Amino acid sequence: MEFFLDTADVDEIREIAAWGILDGVTTNPSLIKKSGRDFKTVVAEIAEICSGPISAEVTALDTAGMVEQGKALKADLPDNVIIKIPCTAEGLAATKILTAAGIKTNVTLVFSASQALMAAKAGATYVSPFIGRIDDTGSDGMALIAEIMATWDNYGVTTKVLAASIRHPTHVLACMQLGAHTVTMPTKIFKQLISHPLTDKGLDGFMRDWAEVEAAGNA
Ligand code: E4P
């Protein structure tokens, strides 16, 4: 079970990394835009903060361009950076070539089990189904995760299923129950997963009582 952060905000990544349970980070062109920073500079900084896989996305649409960008990113950035590739026919070919060159990949923008299977056939290290965006269309994103996991079981597929486009903590728990290998989520959801009002209330009570124990000289 891997928990990734889905952001290019280094302050947020530092904060969650300090919890000791961060396994990786995913970025995409929109998240890089939101950071307002230089692409390679910010990805390199993220890769220093978190030693797990850090997804950096190619922006070429043709196979040769994706392969060239992927190799350049690997050459310029820390070893834990992996190459994120869109799930298109050109992307599949690029995934196959980069995999053969020993470069790890994350095939993204996956919206069907057939796309996930094709990415696995091409040797993708990760495949990223976008749950929230499917829910947004009125369909069931979680049903896609179930379908992919069932298919994976039939063939012992080794490509990791990285559930993406996560909107709430229940998505994370449902993914884990279905056996998805990895979930990438915004910082807000990491925080929601650890928070409970009864924990806060209980802790307040313990602290108040302990202050009285100390005041009585019994600590
Ligand atoms: C995954 O790698 C993507 O960056 C991400 O999960 C997209 O999520 P969104 O639908 O919230 O943009």
Side-chain angles (χ1 to χ4, degrees):
M1 176 175 79
E2 293 177 317
F3 280 2
F4 287 5
L5 255 178
D6 195 28
T7 182
D9 183 320
V10 291
D11 292 333
E12 291 184 4
I13 295 166
R14 269 199 198 90
E15 182 185 355
I16 303 300
W19 295 4
I21 57 152
L22 181 63
D23 297 306
V25 177
T26 48
T27 70
N28 63 40
S30 303
L31 293 171
I32 297 295
K33 177 189 160 193
K34 195 172 165 195
S35 78
R37 300 186 57 199
D38 173 73
F39 175 38
K40 284 186 184 171
T41 306
V42 75
V43 172
E45 203 172 318
I46 293 169
E48 292 300 321
I49 300 167
C50 176
S51 60
I54 312 299
S55 290
E57 189 158 342
V58 297
T59 50
L61 296 178
D62 63 303
T63 301
M66 290 185 203
V67 170
E68 190 185 326
Q69 279 185 357
K71 286 185 173 171
L73 289 170
K74 282 303 292 176
D76 295 348
L77 291 168
D79 272 356
N80 54 328
V81 170
I82 71 170
I83 305 305
K84 204 174 183 188
I85 300 174
C87 192
T88 58
E90 294 78 6
L92 278 191
T95 300
K96 183 87 185 174
I97 293 167
L98 290 173
T99 301
I103 294 174
K104 290 184 177 169
T105 56
N106 171 6
V107 174
T108 190
L109 289 168
V110 167
F111 293 92
S112 71
S114 59
Q115 285 182 309
L117 267 179
M118 297 293 267
K121 282 280 289 173
T125 315
Y126 289 93
V127 60
S128 291
F130 277 38
I131 298 173
R133 292 195 194 188
I134 293 174
D135 288 353
D136 291 345
T137 67
S139 293
D140 182 3
M142 208 50 66
L144 173 59
I145 301 295
E147 200 181 349
I148 294 172
M149 296 318 298
T151 311
W152 256 224
D153 281 351
N154 286 341
Y155 295 99
V157 177
T158 55
T159 297
K160 289 183 176 178
V161 177
L162 195 175
S165 188
I166 297 288
R167 300 276 195 261
H168 45 73
T170 310
H171 268 159
V172 178
L173 297 180
C175 283
M176 294 297 119
Q177 281 158 12
L178 289 168
H181 308 87
T182 312
V183 173
T184 190
M185 58 193 132
T187 306
K188 179 184 153 197
I189 293 173
F190 256 95
K191 292 184 176 177
Q192 286 175 328
L193 285 171
I194 186 64
S195 301
H196 199 290
L198 289 180
T199 303
D200 298 340
K201 191 177 168 198
L203 191 56
D204 281 350
F206 288 158
M207 292 303 99
R208 262 196 318 275
D209 289 343
W210 190 247
E212 289 183 29
V213 171
E214 284 181 325
N218 292 329

